Amino acid sequence: MGKRIYLDNAATSWPKPESVYQAVDQYQRESGATVSRSTSATAETLQKTINLLRMELKRFLGAAAGTEVVFAQNGTDALNLAFHGLLAPGDHVVTTTAEHNSVLRPLRWLEDHRNIRVTRVRCDERGMVESRQIEQALLPQTKLVSLVGTSNVTGFSNPITDIGKIISPSNSLFLVDAAQTVGHRKIDMQESKIDLLAFPGHKGLLGPLGTGCLLVGTKAQHQMNPIRQGGTGASSDSDHHPRDFPHGFEPGSPNIPGLIGLGAGLHFLQQTGLDTIGRHVAHITAALARQLMSLSNIQLYPAEPELTGLPNHLESGILSLNHSHLAPQEFAGILDSSFGIQTRAGHHCASLIHEPIGCPQGCVRLSLGYFNQMADVEATLRAIREISATV
């Protein structure tokens, strides 16, 4: 078995840019302070760094001036802040069958325990929905539309700008789960009329695990309540929890090492350029897909992905497939144990998408990143051909 080939970037990106490792190490060795809980010069400098990161994220994502950046534990936590902070009994929510369980499970829990109502729009074989499907699902009492930006199973992206413009004139809020979108393609919250944007820091943003963000526009801010209470470093003379942004939504000591690394990952993206990253990932992903499509015992989902130009999904780096003679977990296990190729098998925490896309049994996901090279593609193809010759 040769070197480790990491094709699980949709779970978490690896390796990180060298600057991310250096930034986290420097903080741990030379700073070690926290924010909002000290009056030292070191802590005040650190506070300015974190405040600057909030501003840089807003600019990077095209957020309006009044948008607040709430740091969360991860993308799932950010989504839970939105759902549990916004929804009340009797509210109606529109979502889709392409969603991650980070959306589906909180909504199911609120449906079961808080008497909210949920409409789940069925996605197509690409994991996408059309804007008219969302429009038809809207009701006068719809509080929230929650939509995945990019499927973590197929890599295809929804038309969020078209959908946002449909939702905007109504009283409904528009929440986008951008876990597989941020860092892969440009997002402009203002252009797409997005009220809430949730994402982790450890995937496309190339930061450490344990980081996440929820950007909250002005339309949503007065409707949200904190879902956790505790110390915020401010108003310490009161036992009433504040609800001001962002601190009322960030109780407890923050993950400063993670946020420092997140800032370094964001700077790497900005310096390298999303277009440069997208072109490289799309190029190697298309090369892999073309060869996989020529193998008689390999089934891709969707069956015939678009491979010309720079289509909707290639820059995500995601390809899902199955082997006709092997269960997904068995196929992924052989790739790992015999060839050092690390993928993911199963239902990928997206419980409702597999039947519409044609693989109710689950699938194997290959997810390429910026640090993968054509040599990784070639080694993967050799491994799959060798497996196919022996089963």
Side-chain angles (χ1 to χ4, degrees):
M1 185 169 63
K3 68 163 188 169
R4 172 192 187 192
I5 297 176
Y6 186 78
L7 301 182
D8 200 15
N9 286 277
T12 188
S13 56
W14 187 87
K16 310 296 183 182
E18 183 61 30
S19 57
V20 172
Y21 301 132
Q22 293 174 355
V24 174
D25 186 66
Q26 183 178 19
Y27 163 79
Q28 297 281 43
R29 294 179 185 278
E30 300 179 13
S31 177
T34 188
V35 296
S36 301
R37 290 161 175 81
S38 176
T39 55
S40 69
T42 299
E44 289 180 2
T45 299
L46 188 61
Q47 182 70 69
K48 292 178 182 177
T49 300
I50 299 303
N51 290 343
L52 181 61
L53 176 57
R54 294 187 204 268
M55 294 172 58
E56 290 174 338
L57 284 166
K58 287 174 61 173
R59 284 196 295 267
F60 182 68
L61 297 165
T67 301
E68 295 284 356
V69 178
V70 176
F71 290 124
Q73 298 170 12
N74 43 55
T76 298
D77 186 50
L79 288 162
N80 273 268
L81 288 174
F83 293 133
H84 290 277
L86 282 170
L87 298 174
D91 286 339
H92 177 246
V93 180
V94 175
T95 190
T96 83
T97 58
E99 307 301 314
H100 191 276
N101 280 340
S102 296
V103 169
L104 297 175
R105 287 180 173 177
L107 290 180
R108 178 66 74 183
W109 190 93
L110 287 164
E111 197 175 28
D112 291 342
H113 298 277
R114 294 291 185 269
N115 196 32
I116 71 163
R117 292 181 297 148
V118 181
T119 297
R120 298 170 180 85
V121 176
R122 182 181 170 89
C123 68
D124 65 16
E125 71 279 1
R126 302 166 297 172
M128 296 176 63
V129 295
E130 297 178 3
S131 55
R132 63 176 178 81
Q133 294 176 278
I134 300 297
E135 185 174 20
Q136 291 168 356
L138 292 175
L139 300 174
Q141 61 270 42
T142 302
K143 178 73 167 288
L144 182 69
V145 176
S146 181
L147 183 68
V148 65
T150 302
S151 167
N152 72 313
V153 180
T154 68
F156 277 80
S157 292
N158 278 307
I160 58 173
T161 298
D162 293 343
I163 292 171
K165 289 176 180 177
I166 288 171
I167 299 167
S168 182
S170 72
N171 292 323
S172 305
L173 298 170
F174 186 27
L175 165 63
V176 174
D177 172 7
Q180 304 293 344
T181 312
V182 171
H184 294 284
R185 55 181 63 86
K186 185 177 183 294
I187 291 179
D188 189 314
M189 288 184 67
Q190 293 183 77
E191 180 185 3
S192 299
K193 310 297 183 183
I194 299 170
D195 297 299
L196 301 111
L197 187 73
F199 53 92
H202 66 95
K203 297 181 190 278
L205 285 179
L206 305 175
L209 287 158
T211 55
C213 297
L214 178 67
L215 272 65
V216 186
T218 55
K219 184 178 175 182
Q221 287 169 23
H222 73 279
Q223 303 181 55
M224 277 192 67
N225 290 299
I227 66 171
R228 293 190 294 267
Q229 293 74 42
T232 62
S235 303
S236 297
D237 57 343
S238 173
D239 65 354
H240 292 279
H241 188 80
R243 69 169 309 279
D244 60 305
F245 283 89
H247 307 294
F249 294 81
E250 297 176 346
S253 297
N255 177 11
I256 298 299
L259 295 178
I260 293 295
L262 175 59
L266 178 60
H267 293 160
F268 177 88
L269 285 178
Q270 292 172 318
Q271 292 166 3
T272 307
L274 277 183
D275 289 344
T276 298
I277 292 172
R279 281 194 300 269
H280 172 71
V281 174
H283 174 65
I284 58 176
T285 304
L288 178 56
R290 287 191 187 96
Q291 294 300 314
L292 289 172
M293 289 173 66
S294 70
L295 302 179
S296 60
N297 48 15
I298 295 296
Q299 173 67 61
L300 289 177
Y301 307 100
E304 296 183 3
E306 305 162 25
L307 298 176
T308 57
L310 188 64
N312 178 280
H313 71 295
L314 289 181
E315 64 266 41
S316 70
I318 292 173
L319 289 174
S320 287
L321 54 92
N322 273 325
H323 193 287
S324 58
H325 301 309
L326 296 168
Q329 289 80 1
E330 186 179 8
F331 188 22
I334 296 172
L335 285 170
D336 182 26
S337 61
S338 298
F339 301 94
I341 299 170
Q342 298 178 337
T343 65
R344 182 177 177 182
H347 289 84
H348 312 289
C349 296
S351 55
L352 301 182
I353 193 175
H354 295 274
E355 189 272 328
I357 70 173
C359 55
Q361 76 277 27
C363 55
V364 176
R365 183 184 67 193
L366 315 180
S367 49
L368 289 72
Y370 181 63
F371 295 107
N372 287 118
Q373 301 298 326
M374 193 59 72
D376 298 327
V377 169
E378 293 166 352
T380 300
L381 288 166
R382 286 195 299 271
I384 292 174
R385 290 189 180 106
E386 184 173 332
I387 293 170
S388 297
T390 59
V391 296

